[in-house]
Amino acid sequence: MTDKKKNILAVALELFANDGFNGTSTSKIAKEAGVSEGLIFRHFENKNGLLHAIVQQAVERIHILIEPILIENEPKEVVRKSIELPFVVPQHEYPFWKLQFKLKWENDYAGDKMQPFIEKLTWAFAKLGYEQAQEEAEVLNHIIDSISAGILREGRQSQENLKEFLFYKYDK
Amino acid sequence: MTDKKKNILAVALELFANDGFNGTSTSKIAKEAGVSEGLIFRHFENKNGLLHAIVQQAVERIHILIEPILIENEPKEVVRKSIELPFVVPQHEYPFWKLQFKLKWENDYAGDKMQPFIEKLTWAFAKLGYEQAQEEAEVLNHIIDSISAGILREGRQSQENLKEFLFYKYDK
DNA sequence: TAACTTAGCGAGTGATCACTCACTTTCATG
DNA sequence: CATGAAAGTGAGTGATCACTCGCTAAGTTA
C-alpha cells in the first residue's frame, strides 16, 4: 500500500463521515489528499469501490473492539466491559465509526455485525440468573448503541455520567 | 397550499428519506411529483428551502406524539406511555421519521427536541422513588431512541418483544 | 541494462446538477 | 369582464459530477 493510496483512504473516510458519500466529490478527495483525481480510479475502480474499501475495515475493527468481551468467561465482567465499550473507542477512530453509523441508514447496508456480541451478552445474563436473558441483552445493546451515537455526535464527556450509573445498575 | 405544492413536499420527503438529501436531484422530485422543475424553486426558493420546509414539521409532529406524555400526571403512566412511544408512530409517518434520524448525522443539525420529554421522564422516575432519576430517564430515552431506529429500519415487529419486556421491567 | 509492470498525472468527456427566466395559464376580486 | 397576482411551464445556463485515456515516472525482475 503506497503512501498516496493511504492518503486517499484517510481523506475519503474523513470527508464521507463529515459530508456524506453523495456530498463528497472525488475531485475534493483528490485535492485534499494531494493526488491526481485519476489515481483514485486507478486504485479503487470507482467511487463506490472507494467506499467499499473503507467499509471493509468495519468487520475487523468491530472484532478488535469486542474480542475482549467474547473471550471473557466471567459473566459480570462481560456486562461490565460491554457497558464500557462505547468509552474505549479511540478518539482518532471517531470519524470511522461516525461513517458506520451514518451508513446504517443507507438502503443497501448489510448489518448486523454485532450479533456475536449480543449472543455473548445473552449468555452472560443467563449465567447471572436474569429471567429473560435474551431481551435483557437486546435492551443493553440498544443502550450501548444509542450511547455510542451520542458520544460520536457530542463527545465522550456528554455520556460519561451514564457509565457509572450503568455499572451500578447492572451490578446489583 | 396548492395540490402541486403538497405533491412536491410528499415526494421530496419520500426521496430524501430513501436516497438522502444529496442523493436526490430536484429534477427527479419534479418528475415524480408531476410538476415542472421550476415550480420547486418558485415555492421553496432553493433545494435547501425544500428540506427546511419538511424539517419544519418535525417540531409539531414530535409535540403531537409526546403531548399525551407531557400532560400525564400519573408517574407510572408516564413511563408506560414512554415505552410505548416508538410503537404508536403511524406507519405512514415512517419516511418522515427516517429522514429525521438520518439528519441527526448532518453537521448543522439542531436537536435536541426531546428535552421536555426527558424532563418529564425524570420527574416520573423521581416520583416513583428511583434514586438517580436523571440518569434513569436518560437511559430509558436511549433505549427508546435505539428501538425507534430499529423499527424504522427493520419494521415494528422486529422490536415488539421488547415492549412487553420493558413494561415488565419498569413495573416492578 | 532491457523489458515489463505498477504508480501517478492532468487535460479532457458527456451527463447531470441546482437554478433562472421569459413566458403562459389559472384564479380571485372589484 | 377587466386586471393583477399567483401558479405553473420548459428550455435554457454555467458549474460540477464521476470517470477516461494517453502519457510519463518509478520500481521490479531477468
Side-chain angles (χ1 to χ4, degrees):
Chain A
M1 174 104 59
T2 76
D3 280 356
K4 301 221 167 188
K5 191 171 177 184
K6 274 189 225 164
N7 265 4
I8 293 170
L9 281 169
V11 167
L13 168 57
E14 198 91 24
L15 292 179
F16 286 166
N18 282 331
D19 306 331
F21 179 72
N22 286 309
T24 304
S25 68
T26 49
S27 75
K28 191 176 178 189
I29 295 170
K31 199 171 289 176
E32 288 207 20
V35 302
S36 68
E37 197 174 348
L39 190 59
I40 292 174
F41 297 92
R42 173 155 308 260
H43 280 312
F44 303 101
E45 193 177 342
N46 54 37
K47 196 186 171 190
N48 267 296
L50 175 54
L51 175 63
H52 190 250
I54 293 171
V55 171
Q56 274 297 71
Q57 309 170 30
V59 181
E60 10 178 343
R61 291 221 205 182
I62 286 179
H63 189 255
I64 291 172
L65 276 180
I66 68 174
E67 207 205 357
I69 296 172
L70 295 184
I71 63 175
E72 177 66 57
N73 47 25
E74 181 62 45
K76 269 203 172 182
E77 268 307 299
V78 169
V79 174
R80 184 180 177 87
K81 284 182 181 172
S82 296
I83 293 169
E84 232 169 6
L85 194 56
F87 300 92
V88 300
V89 175
Q91 205 124 7
H92 69 266
E93 286 190 5
Y94 280 14
F96 175 81
W97 293 109
K98 206 168 152 185
L99 179 57
Q100 297 302 318
F101 270 75
K102 266 192 179 180
L103 289 175
K104 278 195 193 177
W105 294 99
E106 290 329 297
N107 286 329
D108 53 353
Y109 185 75
D112 192 359
K113 308 171 174 73
M114 295 296 274
Q115 199 50 44
F117 168 73
I118 295 178
E119 279 163 23
K120 184 76 183 190
L121 254 187
T122 304
W123 167 87
F125 279 124
K127 280 272 181 189
L128 289 170
Y130 283 73
E131 292 170 24
Q132 292 178 259
Q134 172 75 34
E135 284 78 5
E136 207 73 55
E138 284 175 18
V139 165
L140 182 52
N141 182 55
H142 275 312
I143 295 173
I144 290 166
D145 177 71
S146 186
I147 285 183
S148 302
I151 289 177
L152 292 172
R153 284 199 292 256
E154 298 145 40
R156 174 173 319 196
Q157 172 238 353
S158 72
Q159 308 292 325
E160 200 77 43
N161 65 321
L162 291 186
K163 189 170 71 173
E164 293 304 321
F165 172 69
L166 288 171
F167 282 159
Y168 159 76
K169 202 180 174 197
Y170 280 98
D171 193 36
K172 290 188 291 193
Chain B
M1 173 103 60
T2 166
D3 278 357
K4 299 217 167 187
K5 191 172 178 185
K6 274 188 226 164
N7 264 4
I8 293 171
L9 281 169
V11 167
L13 168 58
E14 198 91 24
L15 292 178
F16 286 166
N18 282 331
D19 307 330
F21 178 72
N22 286 309
T24 303
S25 68
T26 49
S27 75
K28 192 176 178 190
I29 295 170
K31 199 171 290 177
E32 287 208 19
V35 302
S36 68
E37 197 174 350
L39 190 60
I40 293 174
F41 297 92
R42 176 157 307 269
H43 280 312
F44 303 101
E45 192 177 343
N46 54 37
K47 196 185 170 190
N48 267 296
L50 175 54
L51 175 63
H52 190 251
I54 292 171
V55 170
Q56 273 297 71
Q57 310 170 30
V59 180
E60 9 178 344
R61 291 221 205 182
I62 286 178
H63 190 256
I64 290 172
L65 276 181
I66 67 173
E67 207 206 357
I69 296 171
L70 297 184
I71 64 174
E72 177 65 58
N73 47 24
E74 180 63 45
K76 269 203 170 180
E77 268 306 299
V78 169
V79 175
R80 183 181 178 86
K81 284 181 181 172
S82 297
I83 293 169
E84 231 169 6
L85 195 56
F87 300 92
V88 300
V89 175
Q91 205 123 8
H92 69 266
E93 284 190 6
Y94 280 14
F96 175 82
W97 293 108
K98 206 169 153 185
L99 178 58
Q100 297 303 317
F101 271 75
K102 266 193 179 179
L103 289 175
K104 277 195 192 176
W105 294 100
E106 291 328 298
N107 285 331
D108 52 354
Y109 185 75
D112 193 356
K113 307 171 175 73
M114 296 295 274
Q115 198 51 43
F117 168 72
I118 296 178
E119 280 163 22
K120 184 75 184 191
L121 254 187
T122 304
W123 167 86
F125 279 124
K127 279 275 180 187
L128 289 170
Y130 282 74
E131 291 170 25
Q132 292 179 262
Q134 171 78 33
E135 283 78 5
E136 205 75 54
E138 283 175 18
V139 166
L140 183 52
N141 182 54
H142 274 313
I143 295 173
I144 290 166
D145 177 70
S146 186
I147 285 183
S148 302
I151 289 177
L152 291 173
R153 284 198 293 256
E154 299 145 39
R156 174 172 319 197
Q157 170 240 354
S158 73
Q159 307 293 326
E160 201 77 43
N161 65 321
L162 291 186
K163 188 170 72 173
E164 294 303 324
F165 173 69
L166 288 171
F167 281 159
Y168 159 76
K169 202 178 175 200
Y170 280 97
D171 195 35
K172 289 188 293 193

